[in-house]
Amino acid sequence: MIQAINRLLEACAAGKGRDELSGTIDFLTQYTRTHFIHEEELQVRYGYPDYANHKRFHETFIKVVERLAARLKEEGATPQLMTEINKQMVVWLLNHIKCEDARVAEHIQSLQS
């Protein structure tokens, strides 16, 4: 996911963001579904106590990606949409991974100690 966002940011910086946008959205649509399923399976396996809440975060983000994909289809690769996608992805990565995923990792590590 980080690589996809970096590719989009680099393409934007080079003035080629519109070319990369569709591929980024397609990747995010596929990746979020498969990655989140795997992550949620781990949470269930290790009895993560905040599983339901974490799953809601995933469901909300999948809806964000779906809305962005719909906007891309309707509006095309506008500068506003590129900005919104970059913003949504960066905020998600920073907040979710640093906070929510870190808690899951701590829980699993505590069980393995």
Side-chain angles (χ1 to χ4, degrees), residues 7-56:
R7 277 193 307 272
L8 180 58
L9 291 171
E10 289 168 5
C12 288
K16 299 178 181 179
R18 289 179 187 214
D19 298 335
E20 188 69 28
L21 194 57
S22 181
T24 300
I25 287 292
D26 290 344
F27 169 80
L28 288 171
T29 299
Q30 295 280 87
Y31 178 81
T32 53
R33 291 173 192 265
T34 56
H35 174 75
F36 291 167
I37 287 169
H38 174 70
E39 190 177 295
E40 290 165 10
E41 287 171 352
L42 279 174
Q43 291 175 35
V44 169
R45 184 180 321 142
Y46 287 96
Y48 182 58
D50 200 26
Y51 167 75
N53 202 30
H54 198 107
K55 183 174 176 60
R56 274 193 294 276

Short mmCIF file of all heavy atoms in Angstrom, two decimals, residues 7-56:
data_model
loop_
_atom_site.label_atom_id
_atom_site.label_comp_id
_atom_site.label_asym_id
_atom_site.label_seq_id
_atom_site.Cartn_x
_atom_site.Cartn_y
_atom_site.Cartn_z
N ARG A 7 4.19 5.74 -5.39
CA ARG A 7 4.17 5.85 -6.85
C ARG A 7 3.24 6.97 -7.30
O ARG A 7 3.56 7.74 -8.20
CB ARG A 7 3.73 4.53 -7.49
CG ARG A 7 4.84 3.51 -7.64
CD ARG A 7 4.44 2.36 -8.55
NE ARG A 7 3.19 1.72 -8.18
CZ ARG A 7 3.08 0.71 -7.33
NH1 ARG A 7 4.15 0.23 -6.73
NH2 ARG A 7 1.89 0.18 -7.07
N LEU A 8 2.08 7.07 -6.64
CA LEU A 8 1.14 8.13 -7.00
C LEU A 8 1.72 9.50 -6.67
O LEU A 8 1.64 10.42 -7.48
CB LEU A 8 -0.21 7.94 -6.29
CG LEU A 8 -1.27 8.99 -6.59
CD1 LEU A 8 -1.58 9.04 -8.08
CD2 LEU A 8 -2.53 8.70 -5.80
N LEU A 9 2.32 9.64 -5.51
CA LEU A 9 2.93 10.92 -5.13
C LEU A 9 4.05 11.30 -6.10
O LEU A 9 4.17 12.46 -6.51
CB LEU A 9 3.45 10.86 -3.70
CG LEU A 9 2.40 10.77 -2.60
CD1 LEU A 9 3.05 10.50 -1.25
CD2 LEU A 9 1.56 12.03 -2.56
N GLU A 10 4.88 10.34 -6.45
CA GLU A 10 5.97 10.61 -7.40
C GLU A 10 5.42 10.99 -8.77
O GLU A 10 5.94 11.90 -9.43
CB GLU A 10 6.89 9.39 -7.51
CG GLU A 10 7.72 9.16 -6.27
CD GLU A 10 8.43 7.81 -6.25
OE1 GLU A 10 8.35 7.06 -7.26
OE2 GLU A 10 9.05 7.50 -5.22
N ALA A 11 4.37 10.29 -9.20
CA ALA A 11 3.75 10.61 -10.49
C ALA A 11 3.17 12.02 -10.46
O ALA A 11 3.31 12.78 -11.44
CB ALA A 11 2.68 9.58 -10.84
N CYS A 12 2.53 12.37 -9.36
CA CYS A 12 1.99 13.73 -9.23
C CYS A 12 3.09 14.77 -9.30
O CYS A 12 2.95 15.79 -9.98
CB CYS A 12 1.22 13.87 -7.91
SG CYS A 12 -0.36 13.00 -7.90
N ALA A 13 4.19 14.49 -8.62
CA ALA A 13 5.32 15.44 -8.62
C ALA A 13 5.90 15.60 -10.02
O ALA A 13 6.42 16.66 -10.36
CB ALA A 13 6.39 14.98 -7.64
N ALA A 14 5.81 14.55 -10.82
CA ALA A 14 6.35 14.59 -12.18
C ALA A 14 5.30 15.04 -13.20
O ALA A 14 5.56 15.04 -14.40
CB ALA A 14 6.87 13.20 -12.57
N GLY A 15 4.12 15.43 -12.71
CA GLY A 15 3.06 15.89 -13.60
C GLY A 15 2.34 14.75 -14.32
O GLY A 15 1.69 14.98 -15.32
N LYS A 16 2.49 13.52 -13.80
CA LYS A 16 1.87 12.36 -14.45
C LYS A 16 0.89 11.64 -13.53
O LYS A 16 0.61 10.46 -13.69
CB LYS A 16 2.96 11.39 -14.90
CG LYS A 16 3.90 11.99 -15.91
CD LYS A 16 4.98 11.02 -16.31
CE LYS A 16 5.91 11.69 -17.30
NZ LYS A 16 6.99 10.80 -17.71
N GLY A 17 0.35 12.37 -12.56
CA GLY A 17 -0.55 11.77 -11.58
C GLY A 17 -1.80 11.20 -12.18
O GLY A 17 -2.29 10.16 -11.75
N ARG A 18 -2.31 11.85 -13.21
CA ARG A 18 -3.55 11.36 -13.85
C ARG A 18 -3.35 9.97 -14.44
O ARG A 18 -4.24 9.15 -14.40
CB ARG A 18 -4.02 12.33 -14.92
CG ARG A 18 -4.55 13.61 -14.36
CD ARG A 18 -4.97 14.56 -15.45
NE ARG A 18 -5.32 15.83 -14.83
CZ ARG A 18 -6.27 16.62 -15.27
NH1 ARG A 18 -6.96 16.29 -16.33
NH2 ARG A 18 -6.53 17.74 -14.66
N ASP A 19 -2.16 9.73 -14.98
CA ASP A 19 -1.88 8.42 -15.58
C ASP A 19 -1.83 7.33 -14.52
O ASP A 19 -2.20 6.19 -14.78
CB ASP A 19 -0.54 8.45 -16.32
CG ASP A 19 -0.53 9.45 -17.47
OD1 ASP A 19 -1.62 9.76 -18.00
OD2 ASP A 19 0.57 9.90 -17.84
N GLU A 20 -1.38 7.65 -13.34
CA GLU A 20 -1.18 6.67 -12.27
C GLU A 20 -2.44 6.47 -11.42
O GLU A 20 -2.58 5.45 -10.76
CB GLU A 20 -0.02 7.15 -11.37
CG GLU A 20 0.43 6.17 -10.34
CD GLU A 20 1.14 4.95 -10.92
OE1 GLU A 20 1.76 5.06 -11.99
OE2 GLU A 20 1.06 3.89 -10.28
N LEU A 21 -3.35 7.41 -11.45
CA LEU A 21 -4.49 7.40 -10.54
C LEU A 21 -5.38 6.17 -10.67
O LEU A 21 -5.73 5.54 -9.67
CB LEU A 21 -5.32 8.67 -10.74
CG LEU A 21 -6.34 8.99 -9.66
CD1 LEU A 21 -5.67 9.10 -8.30
CD2 LEU A 21 -7.06 10.28 -10.00
N SER A 22 -5.73 5.79 -11.85
CA SER A 22 -6.61 4.63 -12.05
C SER A 22 -5.97 3.36 -11.52
O SER A 22 -6.62 2.56 -10.84
CB SER A 22 -6.94 4.49 -13.54
OG SER A 22 -7.81 3.40 -13.72
N GLY A 23 -4.70 3.16 -11.80
CA GLY A 23 -3.99 1.98 -11.30
C GLY A 23 -3.91 1.97 -9.78
O GLY A 23 -4.02 0.91 -9.16
N THR A 24 -3.74 3.14 -9.19
CA THR A 24 -3.68 3.24 -7.73
C THR A 24 -5.02 2.86 -7.11
O THR A 24 -5.07 2.09 -6.15
CB THR A 24 -3.27 4.67 -7.29
OG1 THR A 24 -2.00 4.98 -7.84
CG2 THR A 24 -3.23 4.79 -5.78
N ILE A 25 -6.10 3.37 -7.67
CA ILE A 25 -7.43 3.04 -7.15
C ILE A 25 -7.72 1.56 -7.31
O ILE A 25 -8.24 0.91 -6.40
CB ILE A 25 -8.51 3.91 -7.83
CG1 ILE A 25 -8.45 5.34 -7.32
CG2 ILE A 25 -9.90 3.34 -7.60
CD1 ILE A 25 -8.85 5.52 -5.88
N ASP A 26 -7.39 1.00 -8.48
CA ASP A 26 -7.61 -0.43 -8.69
C ASP A 26 -6.83 -1.25 -7.66
O ASP A 26 -7.34 -2.20 -7.07
CB ASP A 26 -7.20 -0.85 -10.10
CG ASP A 26 -8.13 -0.32 -11.17
OD1 ASP A 26 -9.26 0.11 -10.84
OD2 ASP A 26 -7.73 -0.33 -12.35
N PHE A 27 -5.57 -0.88 -7.46
CA PHE A 27 -4.74 -1.58 -6.49
C PHE A 27 -5.35 -1.47 -5.09
O PHE A 27 -5.45 -2.47 -4.37
CB PHE A 27 -3.32 -1.02 -6.48
CG PHE A 27 -2.51 -1.52 -5.33
CD1 PHE A 27 -1.94 -2.78 -5.37
CD2 PHE A 27 -2.36 -0.75 -4.19
CE1 PHE A 27 -1.21 -3.27 -4.30
CE2 PHE A 27 -1.63 -1.22 -3.11
CZ PHE A 27 -1.05 -2.49 -3.16
N LEU A 28 -5.73 -0.27 -4.68
CA LEU A 28 -6.27 -0.08 -3.33
C LEU A 28 -7.56 -0.87 -3.12
O LEU A 28 -7.78 -1.42 -2.05
CB LEU A 28 -6.51 1.41 -3.07
CG LEU A 28 -5.26 2.24 -2.86
CD1 LEU A 28 -5.62 3.73 -2.82
CD2 LEU A 28 -4.53 1.84 -1.60
N THR A 29 -8.39 -0.93 -4.14
CA THR A 29 -9.63 -1.69 -4.04
C THR A 29 -9.33 -3.16 -3.77
O THR A 29 -9.90 -3.76 -2.86
CB THR A 29 -10.46 -1.53 -5.33
OG1 THR A 29 -10.76 -0.14 -5.50
CG2 THR A 29 -11.75 -2.32 -5.27
N GLN A 30 -8.42 -3.73 -4.54
CA GLN A 30 -8.06 -5.14 -4.36
C GLN A 30 -7.30 -5.36 -3.05
O GLN A 30 -7.61 -6.27 -2.30
CB GLN A 30 -7.17 -5.60 -5.52
CG GLN A 30 -7.87 -5.61 -6.85
CD GLN A 30 -8.73 -6.83 -6.98
OE1 GLN A 30 -9.88 -6.83 -6.55
NE2 GLN A 30 -8.19 -7.87 -7.56
N TYR A 31 -6.31 -4.53 -2.81
CA TYR A 31 -5.42 -4.73 -1.68
C TYR A 31 -6.15 -4.60 -0.34
O TYR A 31 -5.95 -5.42 0.55
CB TYR A 31 -4.27 -3.72 -1.73
CG TYR A 31 -3.33 -3.84 -0.55
CD1 TYR A 31 -2.34 -4.81 -0.55
CD2 TYR A 31 -3.45 -3.02 0.56
CE1 TYR A 31 -1.47 -4.94 0.52
CE2 TYR A 31 -2.61 -3.15 1.64
CZ TYR A 31 -1.61 -4.11 1.61
OH TYR A 31 -0.78 -4.24 2.68
N THR A 32 -6.99 -3.60 -0.21
CA THR A 32 -7.65 -3.41 1.08
C THR A 32 -8.51 -4.61 1.42
O THR A 32 -8.52 -5.07 2.56
CB THR A 32 -8.51 -2.12 1.11
OG1 THR A 32 -9.40 -2.11 0.01
CG2 THR A 32 -7.64 -0.89 1.11
N ARG A 33 -9.20 -5.13 0.45
CA ARG A 33 -10.06 -6.29 0.72
C ARG A 33 -9.24 -7.51 1.15
O ARG A 33 -9.55 -8.14 2.15
CB ARG A 33 -10.92 -6.62 -0.49
CG ARG A 33 -11.96 -5.57 -0.74
CD ARG A 33 -12.70 -5.81 -2.04
NE ARG A 33 -13.49 -4.64 -2.38
CZ ARG A 33 -14.76 -4.50 -2.09
NH1 ARG A 33 -15.40 -5.44 -1.45
NH2 ARG A 33 -15.41 -3.41 -2.45
N THR A 34 -8.21 -7.84 0.40
CA THR A 34 -7.44 -9.05 0.74
C THR A 34 -6.61 -8.85 1.99
O THR A 34 -6.55 -9.73 2.85
CB THR A 34 -6.54 -9.48 -0.44
OG1 THR A 34 -5.68 -8.40 -0.81
CG2 THR A 34 -7.36 -9.90 -1.64
N HIS A 35 -5.98 -7.71 2.13
CA HIS A 35 -5.15 -7.45 3.31
C HIS A 35 -6.00 -7.41 4.58
O HIS A 35 -5.62 -7.99 5.60
CB HIS A 35 -4.38 -6.14 3.15
CG HIS A 35 -3.64 -5.75 4.38
ND1 HIS A 35 -2.47 -6.36 4.76
CD2 HIS A 35 -3.90 -4.83 5.33
CE1 HIS A 35 -2.05 -5.84 5.90
NE2 HIS A 35 -2.90 -4.89 6.26
N PHE A 36 -7.12 -6.74 4.52
CA PHE A 36 -7.97 -6.64 5.71
C PHE A 36 -8.52 -8.00 6.12
O PHE A 36 -8.64 -8.28 7.31
CB PHE A 36 -9.10 -5.64 5.49
CG PHE A 36 -8.64 -4.20 5.39
CD1 PHE A 36 -9.52 -3.24 4.93
CD2 PHE A 36 -7.37 -3.81 5.74
CE1 PHE A 36 -9.13 -1.90 4.84
CE2 PHE A 36 -6.96 -2.48 5.65
CZ PHE A 36 -7.85 -1.53 5.20
N ILE A 37 -8.87 -8.84 5.16
CA ILE A 37 -9.34 -10.19 5.50
C ILE A 37 -8.25 -10.94 6.25
O ILE A 37 -8.50 -11.55 7.29
CB ILE A 37 -9.78 -10.96 4.23
CG1 ILE A 37 -11.09 -10.40 3.71
CG2 ILE A 37 -9.89 -12.46 4.51
CD1 ILE A 37 -11.48 -10.90 2.33
N HIS A 38 -7.04 -10.88 5.75
CA HIS A 38 -5.91 -11.56 6.40
C HIS A 38 -5.68 -10.99 7.81
O HIS A 38 -5.52 -11.74 8.77
CB HIS A 38 -4.65 -11.41 5.56
CG HIS A 38 -3.42 -11.95 6.21
ND1 HIS A 38 -3.20 -13.30 6.40
CD2 HIS A 38 -2.36 -11.32 6.73
CE1 HIS A 38 -2.06 -13.47 7.02
NE2 HIS A 38 -1.52 -12.28 7.22
N GLU A 39 -5.69 -9.68 7.91
CA GLU A 39 -5.46 -9.04 9.20
C GLU A 39 -6.56 -9.40 10.21
O GLU A 39 -6.28 -9.67 11.38
CB GLU A 39 -5.40 -7.52 9.00
CG GLU A 39 -4.93 -6.76 10.20
CD GLU A 39 -4.83 -5.28 9.90
OE1 GLU A 39 -3.99 -4.89 9.06
OE2 GLU A 39 -5.59 -4.51 10.51
N GLU A 40 -7.78 -9.43 9.75
CA GLU A 40 -8.90 -9.78 10.64
C GLU A 40 -8.85 -11.25 11.06
O GLU A 40 -9.18 -11.58 12.20
CB GLU A 40 -10.23 -9.44 9.96
CG GLU A 40 -10.44 -7.95 9.84
CD GLU A 40 -11.54 -7.55 8.89
OE1 GLU A 40 -12.30 -8.43 8.41
OE2 GLU A 40 -11.65 -6.34 8.59
N GLU A 41 -8.40 -12.12 10.17
CA GLU A 41 -8.22 -13.53 10.54
C GLU A 41 -7.20 -13.67 11.66
O GLU A 41 -7.38 -14.46 12.59
CB GLU A 41 -7.80 -14.36 9.32
CG GLU A 41 -8.91 -14.58 8.33
CD GLU A 41 -8.45 -15.21 7.04
OE1 GLU A 41 -7.23 -15.37 6.81
OE2 GLU A 41 -9.33 -15.56 6.21
N LEU A 42 -6.11 -12.90 11.58
CA LEU A 42 -5.10 -12.91 12.65
C LEU A 42 -5.70 -12.44 13.97
O LEU A 42 -5.44 -13.02 15.03
CB LEU A 42 -3.92 -12.01 12.30
CG LEU A 42 -2.87 -12.56 11.37
CD1 LEU A 42 -1.85 -11.49 11.01
CD2 LEU A 42 -2.18 -13.76 11.99
N GLN A 43 -6.51 -11.40 13.91
CA GLN A 43 -7.12 -10.87 15.12
C GLN A 43 -8.04 -11.90 15.77
O GLN A 43 -8.03 -12.04 17.00
CB GLN A 43 -7.89 -9.58 14.80
CG GLN A 43 -6.98 -8.43 14.43
CD GLN A 43 -7.76 -7.22 14.01
OE1 GLN A 43 -8.82 -6.93 14.54
NE2 GLN A 43 -7.23 -6.49 13.04
N VAL A 44 -8.81 -12.59 14.96
CA VAL A 44 -9.69 -13.63 15.50
C VAL A 44 -8.86 -14.77 16.09
O VAL A 44 -9.12 -15.24 17.20
CB VAL A 44 -10.66 -14.15 14.41
CG1 VAL A 44 -11.39 -15.39 14.87
CG2 VAL A 44 -11.65 -13.05 14.02
N ARG A 45 -7.83 -15.20 15.37
CA ARG A 45 -6.99 -16.31 15.82
C ARG A 45 -6.35 -16.01 17.17
O ARG A 45 -6.24 -16.88 18.03
CB ARG A 45 -5.89 -16.60 14.80
CG ARG A 45 -5.04 -17.81 15.19
CD ARG A 45 -3.93 -18.15 14.21
NE ARG A 45 -4.32 -17.97 12.83
CZ ARG A 45 -3.50 -17.49 11.89
NH1 ARG A 45 -2.27 -17.13 12.20
NH2 ARG A 45 -3.91 -17.37 10.66
N TYR A 46 -5.95 -14.75 17.38
CA TYR A 46 -5.27 -14.39 18.62
C TYR A 46 -6.20 -13.74 19.65
O TYR A 46 -5.76 -13.23 20.66
CB TYR A 46 -4.08 -13.47 18.33
CG TYR A 46 -2.93 -14.23 17.71
CD1 TYR A 46 -2.75 -14.25 16.33
CD2 TYR A 46 -2.04 -14.95 18.50
CE1 TYR A 46 -1.70 -14.96 15.76
CE2 TYR A 46 -0.99 -15.65 17.94
CZ TYR A 46 -0.84 -15.65 16.57
OH TYR A 46 0.20 -16.37 16.01
N GLY A 47 -7.50 -13.76 19.37
CA GLY A 47 -8.47 -13.23 20.33
C GLY A 47 -8.29 -11.76 20.63
O GLY A 47 -8.40 -11.34 21.79
N TYR A 48 -8.04 -10.97 19.60
CA TYR A 48 -7.84 -9.53 19.81
C TYR A 48 -9.11 -8.93 20.42
O TYR A 48 -10.19 -9.03 19.82
CB TYR A 48 -7.47 -8.84 18.50
CG TYR A 48 -7.20 -7.37 18.64
CD1 TYR A 48 -6.21 -6.90 19.50
CD2 TYR A 48 -7.95 -6.44 17.95
CE1 TYR A 48 -5.97 -5.54 19.64
CE2 TYR A 48 -7.72 -5.08 18.07
CZ TYR A 48 -6.73 -4.65 18.93
OH TYR A 48 -6.49 -3.30 19.06
N PRO A 49 -9.02 -8.30 21.58
CA PRO A 49 -10.23 -7.84 22.28
C PRO A 49 -10.98 -6.70 21.59
O PRO A 49 -12.18 -6.53 21.82
CB PRO A 49 -9.71 -7.40 23.66
CG PRO A 49 -8.25 -7.19 23.49
CD PRO A 49 -7.81 -8.07 22.36
N ASP A 50 -10.33 -5.93 20.74
CA ASP A 50 -11.00 -4.82 20.07
C ASP A 50 -11.27 -5.13 18.59
O ASP A 50 -11.35 -4.25 17.76
CB ASP A 50 -10.14 -3.55 20.21
CG ASP A 50 -10.94 -2.28 19.98
OD1 ASP A 50 -12.16 -2.28 20.20
OD2 ASP A 50 -10.33 -1.27 19.56
N TYR A 51 -11.44 -6.41 18.31
CA TYR A 51 -11.64 -6.87 16.93
C TYR A 51 -12.80 -6.17 16.24
O TYR A 51 -12.67 -5.69 15.11
CB TYR A 51 -11.84 -8.39 16.90
CG TYR A 51 -12.36 -8.89 15.59
CD1 TYR A 51 -11.53 -8.98 14.48
CD2 TYR A 51 -13.70 -9.26 15.43
CE1 TYR A 51 -11.99 -9.43 13.27
CE2 TYR A 51 -14.18 -9.70 14.21
CZ TYR A 51 -13.33 -9.79 13.14
OH TYR A 51 -13.79 -10.23 11.93
N ALA A 52 -13.95 -6.10 16.88
CA ALA A 52 -15.14 -5.52 16.25
C ALA A 52 -14.89 -4.07 15.84
O ALA A 52 -15.27 -3.64 14.74
CB ALA A 52 -16.34 -5.62 17.18
N ASN A 53 -14.25 -3.32 16.71
CA ASN A 53 -13.96 -1.92 16.41
C ASN A 53 -12.95 -1.82 15.26
O ASN A 53 -13.11 -0.99 14.36
CB ASN A 53 -13.42 -1.24 17.67
CG ASN A 53 -13.59 0.25 17.64
OD1 ASN A 53 -14.51 0.77 17.03
ND2 ASN A 53 -12.69 0.93 18.31
N HIS A 54 -11.93 -2.65 15.29
CA HIS A 54 -10.91 -2.63 14.25
C HIS A 54 -11.53 -2.99 12.90
O HIS A 54 -11.23 -2.37 11.88
CB HIS A 54 -9.78 -3.61 14.60
CG HIS A 54 -8.53 -3.37 13.85
ND1 HIS A 54 -7.42 -2.82 14.42
CD2 HIS A 54 -8.20 -3.61 12.56
CE1 HIS A 54 -6.45 -2.73 13.53
NE2 HIS A 54 -6.91 -3.22 12.38
N LYS A 55 -12.42 -3.97 12.91
CA LYS A 55 -13.10 -4.38 11.68
C LYS A 55 -13.92 -3.21 11.12
O LYS A 55 -13.96 -3.00 9.91
CB LYS A 55 -13.99 -5.58 11.95
CG LYS A 55 -14.69 -6.12 10.71
CD LYS A 55 -15.41 -7.41 11.04
CE LYS A 55 -16.20 -7.94 9.86
NZ LYS A 55 -15.43 -8.25 8.68
N ARG A 56 -14.55 -2.43 11.99
CA ARG A 56 -15.31 -1.26 11.54
C ARG A 56 -14.39 -0.23 10.86
O ARG A 56 -14.78 0.39 9.87
CB ARG A 56 -16.06 -0.61 12.70
CG ARG A 56 -17.40 -1.24 12.96
CD ARG A 56 -18.26 -0.38 13.89
NE ARG A 56 -17.70 -0.29 15.24
CZ ARG A 56 -17.89 -1.19 16.19
NH1 ARG A 56 -18.61 -2.25 15.96
NH2 ARG A 56 -17.35 -1.01 17.38
#
